[in-house]
Amino acid sequence: MTYTRKNSGTCSTQTQVSLAADGTIEEVQVKGGCNGNLKGICQLLKGMPARDAIARMQGTTCGPRPTSCPDQIALALKEALENL
């Protein structure tokens, strides 16, 4: 199942996540943002249970912003799980 979410409050503009039926992350793609860092994060997330990734990243901030790209990924994963 693939889910796409428009990001808010970050340099990245969109997060797309693909989950297996059991909630395991198959792929994450982020448009915009810090290219190298986000590519690395996306690679690290492959094969991880979405619930574990959410627990690790949700609430992460970026400088003075109340959110971050990892937080936006967590929100996309959370919404994807709700739609799985």
Side-chain angles (χ1 to χ4, degrees), residues 26-80:
E26 294 179 333
E27 184 176 26
V28 177
Q29 294 180 345
V30 182
K31 287 187 179 180
C34 302
N35 188 275
N37 289 331
L38 288 170
K39 282 182 182 175
I41 290 170
C42 292
Q43 289 296 325
L44 290 170
L45 293 174
K46 284 183 185 178
M48 181 182 287
R51 293 189 196 290
D52 291 350
I54 293 165
R56 292 178 183 194
M57 297 187 303
Q58 189 171 20
T60 302
T61 59
C62 182
R65 296 181 185 123
T67 189
S68 65
C69 292
D71 184 52
Q72 293 295 302
I73 293 170
L75 292 172
L77 288 168
K78 189 173 181 179
E79 291 175 13

